[in-house]
Amino acid sequence: MRANELDLRELLNFQPDTGRLLMGSERMIIFRVLAFANLRRLLFDQLGHQTARALLLQFGRLCGEGDFDAIGGGLIWDTPVDRAMAGPVLHAWEGIVAVVPDTEIVPGMKKMTGIWLNSYEAEMHLAEFGPASEPICFTLQGYAHGHASKAHGIRTLCVETACRAMGDPVCRWEMRPDEEWRDSSAAASLREAFATTPQSFERRLEQQTELVTRQREAMLAMSAPVIEVWERVLVLPVIGALDSVRAAAMTEALLREITHKRASHAILDLTGVETINIGTAEYLMRMVQAAGLLGSECLVSGISPIIARTMIELGLTINIRVFPTLKSALQYTIRERDGRRP
């Protein structure tokens, strides 16, 4: 059988009554590209670029190896070239991509080049993420690696050298035996991805989780800056919206500094808060009460007319000293320090 005679319609056995589609003994499935695009986006969003890339490359490699076995064992090919080209022909029938080599591919070649026409992966990436800064046909590279390595009997790496997702006219590829790539950084990156194990994936996920946790902790620390304006007087500027996590971080930071600085006064400045609700007011009251338990008088400054009106409408009252501006609150603490009362 010649590779160009491969007809997927003749190989498929549709069994709608049993919900199965077979190619020989292999079960096949058909689903929308958009579904895979959604999965691909989830991989990048949830796992990060490096891990998602490695997963897609390995997925492609397994598909390439599987297709070589599935269509090779049950069919008689005229030449080794026909069997080697069967995978690319099948890719075209499956609607994945049209593989167009620059020259005839013969087993044992040291270098093979060509283009991928209408790569589903490049189109998918442009639709989901927009222009890319690197070649992104990861499953195609993985597939070529897996299929070619079996077809040629040696480990073969396929590097995408141009990509439509980057703005290139077409997606170009180059394949060589692994040792022929020598010091290529692109080939080294592929080797690393193909060598990734479930254990290294797990460790990479742990590292990603640790990074996200550290970043969140840093953001929370930045969102709760406690400033000692002078000895034993602290200011906590509250900017933006409050939620339970941020309020807890702010309370912890304020109480820690009150204890450490032995603060007599702590000012919650709400100048940067645009809106308030019952939940926000409750968070603030808890902070005030906790500060009082540590012997620090807690003041509130910067309540805007909108916030004041909202609190009245919600029936909220604040049984603490309130000042229109941070400046007036600081002036009060100065008088207190000098032993004078307003």
Side-chain angles (χ1 to χ4, degrees), residues 1 7-9 11 18 49 92 97 99 155-156 191 194 213 245 248 253 267-268 272 274 286 292 323:
M1 181 177 181
D7 191 329
L8 188 60
R9 293 170 296 187
L11 299 178
T18 60
H49 179 86
V97 72
V99 182
R155 180 179 170 87
T156 303
R191 293 188 196 101
F194 290 131
T213 300
V245 176
I267 303 172
L268 294 179
E274 296 181 355
R286 292 193 189 105
F323 297 85

Side-chain angles (χ1 to χ4, degrees), residues 23 118 138 176 208 220 228 244 287 297 311 323:
M23 186 174 71
N118 299 315
F138 304 129
R176 301 182 196 175
Q208 187 75 13
L220 286 174
E228 186 179 24
S244 59
M287 275 191 271
E297 183 180 4
M311 293 181 67
F323 297 85

